[in-house]
Amino acid sequence: MEAAHASCKEKVETLQDDLKCLRKENETLRFMLDVMNSKCNILQAHLQEAKARQMDINLTQPGFNHEANKRARTSEVPIHNKTQRILVRTDSDDHGNSLIVRDGYQWRKYGQKVTKDNPSPRAYFRCSMAPACPVKKKVQRCREDKSVLVATYDGQHNHDVHGSSLGDSSSSSDYTMARGSMANIISPPRMPNNNDPFLPPTALDLTLSAPHQENRRPFQNSVEDSHNNSYNNIAEYAASLTKDPNFTAALAAAVASSITQQPKLSKI
DNA sequence: CGGATTTGACCTGCGC
DNA sequence: GCGCAGGTCAAATCCG
């Protein structure tokens, strides 16, 4: 009887050890996921910038070669220096009304003009988060697709997106909203698996799918019920991840760059 | 009432 | 020099 009790206790201890290991592993995976997520965000931002530059080049091609482009003002900063253009898809019920592009900064509208090449009005914004911020933004609907806003940024912010220099706590919510709307930023050049240049970019799905969802609550049910399933799922998930060369490469690069604090983004 | 937006007037650069 | 078009200003208006 005592021997049976002892072996049972041993089993419980083993299970508890397993549980601890799993929790540690889970924590490690989550940390890695966070690192990957942040790196992914940085990558996407860089990608957007690159695509916007590409779009600028495309806009000078026939079909986009509007009269306005011939009339580039001398005050305009060269594209490769400080001017950046992004495309943002707006909600379908938003057509023709709002010229607001949520990008995390606060903008004050100072003018609106109908241009010759586009029937939609162009709105002019100045950054109002910092009094001396030189950044200006022009927003106009795409002539070809009115659900798409073309935002052109001139200059560089002399403050961060949180407005931390001003100590503005409200900006964090704005930033959250901005992150939400950034998901709608369009990559003008075609993406893989995407023949429509105006469809949103294929988002990198870094949220763990079924196995992860399972392992978020494996211990809410009885240990007997779910332990094997969740353990198998985690093991399965871990195995699938480690077998994926892309994952290991990306993970290695992400960890390396997070350690050195010198991201080598082009290598991922 | 104060800040944001609207909108017509004005300024500036470019092409003819 | 003139006209055109993009960009900016600032008074009026709106809105919370």
Side-chain angles (χ1 to χ4, degrees), chain A residues 227-266:
Chain A
H227 183 266
N228 282 343
N229 271 344
S230 58
Y231 185 86
N232 287 341
N233 283 336
I234 291 169
E236 215 176 279
Y237 179 67
S240 69
L241 282 182
T242 51
K243 278 177 195 168
D244 183 355
N246 289 335
F247 174 81
T248 47
L251 187 61
V255 171
S257 65
S258 71
I259 289 169
T260 60
Q261 292 297 312
Q262 292 171 341
K264 295 172 179 171
L265 297 165
S266 60

Side-chain angles (χ1 to χ4, degrees), chain A residues 4-245:
Chain A
H5 186 258
S7 73
C8 191
K9 202 176 176 181
E10 229 171 77
K11 271 187 185 174
V12 169
E13 279 172 4
T14 312
L15 284 176
Q16 281 176 340
D17 283 346
D18 282 350
L19 183 59
K20 275 184 190 173
C21 286
L22 283 175
R23 278 180 177 163
K24 271 193 177 178
E25 197 178 329
N26 195 15
E27 225 170 89
T28 310
L29 283 172
R30 277 191 190 175
F31 169 75
M32 289 174 173
L33 196 61
D34 284 345
V35 172
M36 285 183 67
N37 250 328
S38 61
K39 296 298 168 189
C40 179
N41 286 338
I42 294 168
L43 261 180
Q44 282 183 315
H46 279 263
L47 198 59
Q48 279 306 324
E49 198 176 328
K51 304 254 183 189
R53 279 195 204 124
Q54 181 67 38
M55 186 61 179
D56 275 326
I57 293 166
N58 289 345
L59 287 174
T60 63
Q61 303 293 315
F64 263 118
N65 189 14
H66 305 314
E67 193 72 19
N69 288 331
K70 298 178 192 169
R71 298 179 52 87
R73 295 178 55 119
T74 52
S75 61
E76 199 166 319
V77 184
I79 287 165
H80 57 81
N81 189 12
K82 287 180 180 176
T83 302
Q84 187 183 22
R85 181 177 290 141
I86 65 168
L87 305 184
V88 180
R89 177 175 282 281
T90 57
D91 295 338
S92 54
D93 58 352
D94 195 26
H95 292 185
N97 294 324
S98 170
L99 285 171
I100 295 170
V101 175
R102 294 185 193 281
D103 51 15
Y105 294 94
Q106 286 181 331
W107 299 94
R108 178 188 171 82
K109 189 177 180 180
Y110 67 90
Q112 182 166 314
K113 195 90 178 177
V114 176
T115 57
K116 193 185 174 189
D117 58 299
N118 192 333
S120 302
R122 175 183 296 170
Y124 299 90
F125 297 90
R126 257 193 277 263
C127 180
S128 62
M129 285 179 80
C133 183
V135 179
K136 289 174 188 174
K137 176 172 80 169
K138 291 176 281 190
V139 180
Q140 190 170 28
R141 292 197 173 272
C142 181
R143 198 175 60 164
E144 280 72 19
D145 185 345
K146 293 204 174 352
S147 68
V148 175
L149 291 175
V150 181
T152 307
Y153 294 84
D154 287 324
Q156 286 182 312
H157 294 280
N158 55 13
H159 56 91
D160 65 15
V161 71
H162 299 284
S164 60
S165 59
L166 301 174
D168 181 10
S169 61
S170 67
S171 58
S172 60
S173 62
D174 197 16
Y175 181 61
T176 307
M177 288 164 66
R179 285 172 59 94
S181 92
M182 288 290 264
N184 289 330
I185 291 177
I186 294 163
S187 315
R190 288 160 197 267
M191 302 284 287
N193 311 328
N194 189 350
N195 290 329
D196 184 350
F198 293 110
L199 281 177
T202 311
L204 281 177
D205 185 11
L206 289 176
T207 56
L208 299 179
S209 50
H212 178 70
Q213 283 167 1
E214 286 288 329
N215 79 15
R216 292 176 76 169
R217 34 181 295 194
F219 305 108
Q220 286 179 359
N221 302 327
S222 77
V223 174
E224 239 180 1
D225 271 356
S226 60
H227 183 266
N228 282 343
N229 271 344
S230 58
Y231 185 86
N232 287 341
N233 283 336
I234 291 169
E236 215 176 279
Y237 179 67
S240 69
L241 282 182
T242 51
K243 278 177 195 168
D244 183 355

